[in-house]
Structures are given as structure tokens and as C-alpha cells.
């Protein structure tokens, strides 16, 4: 492996953990009702999103922080009306080893079904593989710090990000894994930073990406694109997991 590859690894390493939204705004109360806070015994560690009544999608690398439960039902994590559901089982691609090698996706099987309604909804995934248009405007949301060295926030925040041409992204990230989407960062002051890992990239109302990694601890702002797992490349795997966990 050449020097530039190792230099790239240094910049990205652990960049996705604990990220939040940079230069965004508080998400409206009745929007993004599919968002889930993925937590351990100490509180919020990653984002996630509800795709069925009993499954949350998040990033595979979030499994390193001993996930125990998810919180849904309110954009403010400190309000008592939130619903806490225990994580019963975790599913990751057998090929996942490290975010830089790709396959950074995980399904969380919940111990009981979420009650869908005015406060909780699911988000649809793509029906087939998709190709996003360059400069297409999408959204990413999450909880956490909003600047370098900042403290976490209680309220969900959201920001618009533009899709970046894959060829441009590969030029900025030598050795970029396959099956990813680039949006935000690079040439803008908007995107995600430490703590939003696992949250969705939403385009035209569909969850098309999962927050994976960016530049190491730099929120002011990275000169490389933000990188997401391309959900449409994992639909067969997702459907297989969902089918094998249905009651017989």
C-alpha cells in the first residue's frame, strides 16, 4: 500500500463515531419521525432509522460501543415521552471488517414492535439500485456536537447536503470503498461530523445512504466529501435478513 493510502486512513480513522450535524437547524417536530437514537448504557452513541415496526438500520461500526437499545418517538432525547426499545439481535454483513473496507451497514432487531402513529413512522428504502444525480439536494440528520470540541445537543438537527460526483469523491478519497455515496463536506460548510454515524441520507423521501465516515475530527469543515453506505446496493441482503426473522 502506498503512502497516500495510509495518509488517507489516518485522516478518516474513527471519524464517523459520535457525529452530529454541522451548520444545520433544529428538525421540525413532525418531520423525520423515523429517526432513532441508538444507545448504550451511557446514552446516545449513533443515529439510526426505523424501516419496519421492529427493525432499525444503522452503521456496522456502531457495534463497537455495546449497543443495548434504541430511543424513538421524540426529537428531544431528554423528554419523558420517548420510547425505549431493547435491541434483541444485530445483523451485519459477514464481510464487514472496517469502515474503510466498506459494507458499513447493520440491522437491529428490536425486542418488540414500535407503535406507529403520529410520533413514530417508518421510512421507505429504494426498491432497486439507484444512481443519484450530481448536486442533487438531500438531507442528513442527527444528535450530538455541532462544532469541534462542542457538547452534544438534545434536539435532532438536520441539514441539506449536495450529492458529489463519484469520480470527484474517489479523487479526494484514494482507495474509497465500493458501494458508497458521497454528499456534503468538500467545498461546503455543511454535513455531518463526529456522532451521526448510522443516520440516514434522505433523498426524495427515501433513505438512500447511511452515515459512515468523514475526515478525522474535523468539523470546520473537511476538505474531503462525507461518505455514506449506499443502501440500494444491499437490498438483497436486507430483504433476506427481514425474511428470515419473520415468525413462522
Amino acid at each position: 500500500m502506498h503512502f497516500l493510502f495510509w495518509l488517507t486512513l489516518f485522516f478518516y480513522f474513527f471519524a464517523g463515531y459520535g457525529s452530529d450535524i454541522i451548520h444545520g437547524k433544529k428538525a421540525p417536530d413532525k418531520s423525520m419521525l423515523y429517526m432513532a437514537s441508538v444507545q448504550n448504557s451511557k446514552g446516545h452513541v449513533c443515529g439510526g432509522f426505523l424501516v419496519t415496526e421492529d427493525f432499525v438500520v444503522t452503521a456496522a461500526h456502531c457495534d463497537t460501543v455495546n449497543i443495548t437499545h434504541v430511543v424513538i418517538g421524540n426529537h428531544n432525547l431528554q423528554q419523558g415521552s420517548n420510547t425505549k426499545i431493547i435491541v434483541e439481535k444485530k445483523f451485519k454483513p459477514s464481510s464487514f471488517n472496517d469502515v474503510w473496507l466498506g459494507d458499513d451497514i447493520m440491522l437491529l432487531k428490536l425486542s418488540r414492535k414500535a407503535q406507529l402513529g403520529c410520533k413514530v413512522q417508518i421510512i421507505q428504502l429504494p426498491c432497486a439500485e439507484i444512481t443519484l444525480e450530481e448536486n442533487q439536494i438531500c438531507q442528513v440528520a442527527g444528535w450530538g456536537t455541532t462544532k469541534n470540541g462542542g457538547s452534544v445537543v438534545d434536539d435532532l438537527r438536520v441539514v441539506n447536503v449536495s450529492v458529489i460526483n463519484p469520480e470527484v469523491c474517489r479523487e479526494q478519497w484514494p482507495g474509497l470503498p465500493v458501494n458508497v455515496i458521497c454528499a456534503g463536506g468538500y467545498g461546503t460548510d455543511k454535513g455531518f461530523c463526529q456522532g451521526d454515524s448510522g443516520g440516514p441520507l434522505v433523498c426524495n423521501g427515501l433513505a438512500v445512504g447511511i452515515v459512515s465516515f468523514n475526515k478525522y475530527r474535523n468539523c470546520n469543515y473537511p476538505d474531503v466529501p462525507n461518505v455514506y453506505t449506499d443502501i440500494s446496493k444491499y437490498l438483497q441482503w436486507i430483504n433476506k435478513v427481514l425474511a428470515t426473522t419473520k415468525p413462522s
Side-chain angles (χ1 to χ4, degrees):
M1 298 182 187
H2 53 70
F3 171 77
L4 185 56
F5 176 78
W6 286 109
L7 183 63
T8 302
L9 286 183
F10 171 79
F11 280 133
Y12 100 85
F13 193 65
F14 290 140
Y17 291 95
S19 68
D20 190 45
I21 299 305
I22 304 302
H23 292 163
K25 62 181 181 180
K26 181 179 175 181
D29 290 340
K30 295 183 180 180
S31 69
M32 310 188 89
L33 302 181
Y34 45 79
M35 288 297 298
S37 170
V38 177
Q39 303 193 359
N40 61 16
S41 59
K42 297 181 179 180
H44 174 82
V45 292
C46 279
F49 46 104
L50 198 66
V51 295
T52 71
E53 292 173 307
D54 55 352
F55 268 96
V56 164
V57 174
T58 187
H61 74 258
C62 293
D63 195 29
T64 63
V65 289
N66 192 29
I67 293 168
T68 56
H69 62 279
V70 302
V71 171
I72 57 176
N74 202 308
H75 287 349
N76 187 301
L77 297 181
Q78 298 303 315
Q79 293 185 357
S81 59
N82 286 328
T83 298
K84 175 181 174 180
I85 305 180
I86 300 299
V87 172
E88 182 177 279
K89 194 171 183 179
K90 307 167 193 174
F91 298 87
K92 294 180 291 185
S94 58
S95 54
F96 175 77
N97 184 56
D98 182 271
V99 294
W100 186 251
L101 300 177
D103 300 331
D104 192 14
I105 180 173
M106 179 164 60
L107 290 174
L108 304 178
K109 175 68 168 65
L110 306 182
S111 61
R112 61 183 174 86
K113 291 184 177 181
Q115 184 174 350
L116 304 183
C118 296
K119 292 186 176 182
V120 177
Q121 296 177 6
I122 63 174
I123 186 170
Q124 295 297 315
L125 303 181
C127 295
E129 288 194 22
I130 61 173
T131 300
L132 299 176
E133 296 182 5
E134 183 178 3
N135 296 321
Q136 181 174 341
I137 302 300
C138 303
Q139 295 78 41
V140 61
W143 295 271
T145 63
T146 57
K147 62 181 180 180
N148 285 347
S151 58
V152 298
V153 296
D154 296 331
D155 292 301
L156 180 70
R157 299 183 69 82
V158 60
V159 69
N160 289 342
V161 292
S162 299
V163 174
I164 297 170
N165 185 299
E167 292 184 6
V168 173
C169 194
R170 284 192 291 269
E171 290 173 358
Q172 303 303 316
W173 281 111
L176 188 72
V178 298
N179 299 341
V180 297
I181 297 169
C182 297
Y186 186 64
T188 76
D189 62 353
K190 295 178 172 61
F192 64 78
C193 190
Q194 282 70 38
D196 256 346
S197 293
L201 176 68
V202 180
C203 304
N204 296 326
L206 298 176
V208 301
I210 304 167
V211 173
S212 186
F213 65 87
N214 66 1
K215 193 170 184 178
Y216 180 66
R217 298 188 184 280
N218 183 359
C219 305
N220 287 330
Y221 199 76
D223 55 5
V224 290
N226 288 176
V227 181
Y228 303 77
T229 302
D230 184 346
I231 292 174
S232 77
K233 302 298 193 297
Y234 296 89
L235 294 176
Q236 185 175 0
W237 176 79
I238 291 171
N239 291 331
K240 182 178 180 180
V241 171
L242 297 182
T244 57
T245 57
K246 287 182 179 179
S248 57

